[in-house]
Structures are given as C-alpha cells and as structure tokens.
Amino acid sequence: MQSRCKKYIQRAVRIVAGCLLICIMKETGAGTGTVNGKIFAEKGKQEITDSAVRTMLPALVYAAEKDQTDTPSKNLAWAVMRLWPAGTFMTEQGKEDTAGEDSRTYAMILEKQENDENAVDKNGKLITQNPDTEAEETWETPGVKADISMEKLRDYEYLMSHFYTVDSSTMADAGLINADKLMGKDMKLNPDTKGVKVLIYHTHSQEQFADSVPGDAGTSIVGMGTYLSELLNQKYGISTYHHEGVYDLVNGKLDRSKAYQLAEPDVRKILNENPGIEVVIDLHRDGVAEGTHLVTEIDGKPTAQIMFFNGLSRTRANGNISYLSNPYLEDNLAFSLQMEIAAATYYPGFARHIFLRAYRYNMHFKPKTLLIEAGAQTNTVEEMRNAMEILAELLHQVLS
C-alpha cells in the first residue's frame, strides 16, 4: 500500500511541479528582470519553498502542521514536499562554484559517483549480486553490421537503440544526443602544435585480468595503457604520455572511495605542464558476471570488446548536477560517438553500446576526453593486447 501511494504522489508531483515553479518565480521576481539568478538562489530558499508549497498544497501542509505525530496524513504531506523537484531547481540556480553548497550534499554526490561503477571487494574481486546465475558461460559475438548512414543516425530512436545504453539513474534526450551535432564536430588533432597530444591514465589502476600475474603491472590495466601508448607513439606517430599514478590504493589497501577526487589534481598538473595535450583517456577494465566473456574475433585473433562510457552530469530525479558541471559534455559525446561509428564501420562487434550514466567521472578536463571500459576481469591478457591494437587504429582514424 505504501509503495502504491508513493507512486501516486510522484505522479501528482510531476503534474503540478511546473505550476509551483511559476509561483516561486512570480513571488521572487525571477525572470522579470528585477532579480538575477544569483539573488534568486540566495533569497530565502526555505521561506520561498514553504510559501509556494502552502499555495499549491494547503490541505497537505495543514494536515502536516496540525498533526505532530507520525501519522499517514503527516507522512503524506512531507513526502510530497520532499519529492518536489523545484526545491532542487532553486538550490542549483546561480551557483558559480561549490564553496557555498551544503557539504553533506556534495559529499553524497561524490560518493555516488565513486560507487557508480562495478563494486569490488578488498582483494579486487568483482562483487556480484546473483552469483547463482553465473554457471553458464556467455560469449558476446559480432552482430549484424548496423546502418551508419546519417539518414538513419538522425532518427533518435534508431540511434539510441543501436549505439547507446542509458542507465536507469540518468536520462538522455534528442537535444543532447543529436547525430548531426555530434558527428559534425571536428575531432582532428591540431597539426600546428608541438609536444604531447594524448594523455592516458587510470583512475582504477589495480584492475586485473583472468591470467594477470600478481605484482606484474604489465599484465594489468596499467600494462594495457603502456601498450596502447607505445602503439600510438611508434606506429601512428601520435605523441602520447602514459601516466601510471595510483588512486585506488590507500595505505596499501584497495580503496576506490575517492579515486576520482585523488586523480584530478595530478591530471590537471600534467595538462598544465603539457599545454599541447588535446586528448585525455581514462582507461578502465569493466566488471562482469564470471560467466560472461566479452570477446570477438578480429583478423582471426580473439579480441576483448570495449565500451565507451559517458557521464552526463545529470540525474533522472533532479536534472543537471551543478556540483559536477562539465562544459565539454557535448564534445565528450561527439568523441565517443565518432569512435563508436568508426568501430561499427571497420570492426563490427568490437565496441559495445556507449554507456550513459549520471555523474561526471572527471570527463571535464578536455573536450576530447574518453572513459573506456576495455574488456573485463574474465578476459585474458592476450585478448586485451589485441584490443589495444584495434583501439589504437580507431583513435588514429578519428584523430588524424
């Protein structure tokens, strides 16, 4: 019964949220030219919210205030107010940085970002939710080559169903995922600048593979970054720097809780010291059920599949996350889509669907930023090295 009531409340909230927002803006003068966004954000948020809620839902507020005990009427009233999206809208408007934000809210957002990828235990082993369902091995093989004509890509439903997977926590739309805009962006490297062009690093450096040798970084995700950088430097002439910083070990123990936060200052330092860097790649290994093997065959060689991963800095529940803003979001999306289409053109089955999730994942460093999930813990080192060869070729095609 409680679950059913909550659904009805949520539905009602969505219907009248727009009306409430108009009341708030009218009361504060926002949008009339008399009050700018920053003043609106700072002007008595709680008083404005209370007044507007009283205007829209007087009966619920009366019931909540009259009844000082935890009864259904009181719980219903405050549940509606907690679910009201306009409150989030107000707190996010006019914010230029995180200095004045509620520290607990900001910490919660960062924690969700850190824990939004596949969880591992203290030994780096993937934590699975349904271990009893993993007995049968699954091989992912190449599918039918998709139609990548612009005519088809302009169809939003076709584009999303063939090239994207959207996590339930976030929301994509046709304004954000627009084939003409994303495919039309120039991703080519600037030939007039000197020095390093590409940075490869690993937020999660301790990720291993099925036959990795303990203590041998060359057989871990870091080793794959080394091989990828060698291919770009030596085979394709793209000057690449591989950073081997460790951000998921704390006092010698695996700890991912602040990996993205710890990586950011080091990455920024590298970018400041190498102003010619245009491309930033955070290379990861995915985590899958033990019965899943992400592999395809390319030129007769078993090759791990890869997945491009984009953080949208927006949640389905609350919209844009101002604390994790990304001015390069559209460019990030353009880069991953162009890489995805290049893979679909030359190596169907190599790239899984682009995965969209709610948070930022340090993709705000440069317009041309990629987060790549290469293979998984069930892949072999050989399959991973074969994947790096294909990935290097695709990067060369898109960037050069």
Side-chain angles (χ1 to χ4, degrees):
M1 180 67 180
Q2 186 176 5
S3 176
R4 188 182 304 170
C5 288
K6 184 175 180 181
K7 290 182 180 178
Y8 292 151
I9 292 169
Q10 290 173 324
R11 194 172 301 167
V13 166
R14 293 190 186 100
I15 293 173
V16 298
C19 298
L20 175 61
L21 184 56
I22 292 171
C23 290
I24 295 170
M25 295 179 72
K26 183 176 181 180
E27 181 170 343
T28 59
T32 64
T34 62
V35 182
N36 65 31
K38 186 172 183 180
I39 295 175
F40 172 56
E42 295 174 352
K43 178 183 175 183
K45 301 185 188 80
Q46 190 59 51
E47 293 180 12
I48 295 169
T49 304
D50 289 346
S51 176
V53 171
R54 289 171 194 277
T55 301
M56 297 302 298
L57 295 171
L60 289 179
V61 174
Y62 172 78
E65 291 182 341
K66 181 182 178 186
D67 194 346
Q68 298 301 312
T69 61
D70 289 330
T71 63
S73 61
K74 181 177 180 180
N75 292 337
L76 176 63
W78 293 113
V80 171
M81 284 181 265
R82 281 198 303 270
L83 289 166
W84 213 271
T88 301
F89 170 84
M90 291 198 312
T91 61
E92 291 186 358
Q93 299 307 301
K95 302 257 184 180
E96 297 175 0
D97 53 47
T98 63
E101 293 174 0
D102 182 279
S103 59
R104 287 176 299 175
T105 301
Y106 187 51
M108 179 189 69
I109 291 293
L110 291 176
E111 182 181 1
K112 285 186 176 182
Q113 175 181 255
E114 300 292 352
N115 294 329
D116 209 22
E117 291 191 272
N118 292 296
V120 295
D121 62 21
K122 63 181 181 180
N123 298 313
K125 184 176 176 58
L126 184 72
I127 299 172
T128 55
Q129 304 238 341
N130 298 302
D132 295 336
T133 64
E134 300 169 7
E136 186 173 345
E137 184 170 326
T138 302
W139 291 71
E140 293 200 11
T141 54
V144 178
K145 188 173 182 178
D147 186 341
I148 57 171
S149 66
M150 283 305 300
E151 180 181 2
K152 293 295 290 186
L153 296 180
R154 288 188 182 103
D155 181 337
Y156 175 72
E157 297 300 330
Y158 176 87
L159 179 64
M160 295 303 295
S161 64
H162 284 74
F163 299 102
Y164 287 94
T165 297
V166 184
D167 184 71
S168 59
S169 66
T170 191
M171 178 177 59
D173 56 52
L176 188 66
I177 311 297
N178 180 292
D180 281 309
K181 287 194 299 184
L182 301 184
M183 294 300 293
K185 283 186 174 287
D186 184 5
M187 292 290 118
K188 299 293 187 292
L189 295 172
N190 183 351
D192 298 327
T193 58
K194 305 296 182 182
V196 178
K197 299 285 190 178
V198 176
L199 167 64
I200 299 172
Y201 76 105
H202 313 272
T203 301
H204 297 156
S205 66
Q206 303 304 299
E207 293 171 331
Q208 306 284 319
F209 303 100
D211 56 351
S212 293
V213 178
D216 181 2
T219 62
S220 71
I221 191 63
V222 174
M224 299 309 107
T226 298
Y227 188 43
L228 178 60
S229 64
E230 290 173 354
L231 290 165
L232 293 173
N233 278 311
Q234 299 170 15
K235 185 173 182 178
Y236 297 105
I238 300 174
S239 182
T240 302
Y241 173 62
H242 180 216
H243 175 57
E244 299 183 17
V246 176
Y247 306 106
D248 51 351
L249 281 181
V250 178
N251 297 323
K253 296 182 180 180
L254 185 69
D255 184 350
R256 289 182 171 182
S257 64
K258 295 183 179 179
Y260 284 98
Q261 296 176 66
L262 294 173
E264 181 167 357
D266 281 2
V267 173
R268 288 199 179 280
K269 183 174 184 293
I270 294 169
L271 295 177
N272 289 336
E273 293 173 349
N274 299 272
I277 291 178
E278 297 181 45
V279 178
V280 177
I281 299 173
D282 186 5
L283 186 63
H284 291 242
R285 177 224 71 190
D286 206 353
V288 297
E290 288 300 322
T292 300
H293 195 177
L294 303 175
V295 67
T296 187
E297 186 175 299
I298 297 177
D299 296 332
K301 298 190 294 186
T303 305
Q305 295 172 306
I306 68 167
M307 180 176 72
F308 301 110
F309 185 114
N310 282 101
L312 300 187
S313 296
R314 61 192 291 190
T315 66
R316 179 178 293 275
N318 296 319
N320 293 334
I321 306 174
S322 62
Y323 338 106
L324 299 176
S325 62
N326 181 358
Y328 304 127
L329 176 58
E330 188 173 283
D331 298 279
N332 295 167
L333 290 167
F335 195 12
S336 61
L337 181 59
Q338 290 186 30
M339 289 290 294
E340 182 82 6
I341 296 303
T345 302
Y346 299 104
Y347 301 106
F350 175 60
R352 301 153 65 196
H353 286 190
I354 299 169
F355 201 93
L356 304 180
R357 267 189 174 157
Y359 301 105
R360 186 173 64 186
Y361 308 100
N362 281 350
M363 299 193 72
H364 60 303
F365 295 134
K366 289 286 182 177
K368 292 192 276 285
T369 297
L370 289 175
L371 193 162
I372 304 174
E373 299 278 2
Q377 84 282 3
T378 54
N379 285 102
T380 66
V381 172
E382 178 191 6
E383 292 164 353
M384 292 300 304
R385 287 177 64 86
N386 292 340
M388 294 303 101
E389 294 173 4
I390 303 302
L391 178 58
E393 181 183 337
L394 294 173
L395 285 165
H396 170 66
Q397 290 177 5
V398 172
L399 296 172
S400 304

